[in-house]
Amino acid sequence: MKADQPTLPKILVLASGSGTNLQALIESSRERDFPGQIVAVGCNRPKAFALERAAQANVETFMVNHEDFSSREEFDAALMAHILRHNPDLIVLAGFMRILTTDFVRAFRGRLINIHPSLLPRHTGLNTHQRALDAGDRIHGVSVHFVTEELDGGPVIAQAEVAVVPEDTAETLAEKVQAKEHLLYPIVVRWFCEGRIQLGGEHIMFDGQALNTPMRLPDN
């Protein structure tokens, strides 16, 4: 890199599964004007396909198997050590299926984001698509939020909606929501790397103004 070229913000992605959101981020990061660089991908499952996706993209990987630790605190301490080695500006949870400890969340406050398959605050936790159907929701979707100590309770940065139709099943709804995830997450990561969003106290600042309601991904 030439001396007059600024260093791009460093992004570290944590994943547990197939890594489809990771793939969307990798593809976006290859765009000429993308304002950040993915420096590493970490995983807690040794056979997760996310590791293969990262390797194919020549992104460094590390694995911290949660089954090797007797407590959540020990696992998080080991995970934190790997993360600090890369000194990321942003940590992106992309299907990372671990509940993080308070100490971990506080250590990375303001630079730790997550994507959740519902329109938060509705349907925190798991099985969101079936729960949306059971509740008779007409609109469902996905949220990107800052991670705080409250599970799925951090300030929401942006959301994207999908319509729920009578023919939908949990599987078809999951497919529709996932398509929105792949569009929304790279946009939010771009905003963060451009310095457009910050977590100030308990509120989000967007372009220097308090964000009172989540940004919305326009319908295509």
Side-chain angles (χ1 to χ4, degrees), residues 72-105:
R72 187 173 293 162
E73 289 75 15
E74 290 177 355
F75 169 79
D76 278 11
L79 180 63
M80 189 181 299
H82 280 278
I83 292 172
L84 291 175
R85 182 166 58 87
H86 294 280
N87 191 29
D89 298 286
L90 175 65
I91 302 167
V92 178
L93 304 183
F96 189 63
M97 303 303 292
R98 295 288 299 174
I99 296 176
L100 298 166
T101 60
T102 296
D103 287 346
F104 184 98
V105 171

Side-chain angles (χ1 to χ4, degrees), residues 26-192:
I26 288 172
E27 292 172 3
S28 292
S29 72
R30 290 171 174 164
E31 298 172 2
R32 183 182 297 273
D33 66 340
F34 195 79
Q37 57 178 334
I38 300 175
V39 296
V41 172
C43 191
N44 64 306
R45 293 176 178 167
K47 295 183 179 180
F49 191 65
L51 293 171
E52 179 62 25
R53 291 183 190 273
Q56 291 174 359
N58 295 317
V59 176
E60 182 177 340
T61 64
F62 63 87
M63 202 279 296
V64 184
N65 191 340
H66 63 276
E67 294 183 353
D68 293 339
F69 300 88
S70 59
S71 71
R72 187 173 293 162
E73 289 75 15
E74 290 177 355
F75 169 79
D76 278 11
L79 180 63
M80 189 181 299
H82 280 278
I83 292 172
L84 291 175
R85 182 166 58 87
H86 294 280
N87 191 29
D89 298 286
L90 175 65
I91 302 167
V92 178
L93 304 183
F96 189 63
M97 303 303 292
R98 295 288 299 174
I99 296 176
L100 298 166
T101 60
T102 296
D103 287 346
F104 184 98
V105 171
R106 288 177 176 172
F108 298 112
R109 181 179 174 81
R111 52 185 174 132
L112 182 61
I113 63 174
N114 181 48
I115 192 162
H116 182 76
S118 79
L119 295 174
L120 293 172
R122 290 185 65 78
H123 309 310
T124 61
L126 302 175
N127 303 317
T128 59
H129 309 308
Q130 186 59 56
R131 289 162 61 199
L133 292 172
D134 293 343
D137 293 352
R138 304 296 295 272
I139 299 294
H140 188 43
V142 57
S143 305
V144 178
H145 65 96
F146 279 106
V147 177
T148 61
E149 293 88 342
E150 181 183 356
L151 180 64
D152 298 330
V156 177
I157 302 166
Q159 294 179 323
E161 297 179 348
V162 300
V164 182
V165 298
E167 297 79 16
D168 269 324
T169 64
E171 291 73 23
T172 62
L173 205 50
E175 291 176 0
K176 292 195 290 188
V177 170
Q178 190 176 72
K180 294 290 188 179
E181 292 177 9
H182 298 166
L183 295 174
L184 185 64
Y185 222 179
I187 291 173
V188 174
V189 170
R190 175 183 284 272
W191 287 341
F192 186 96

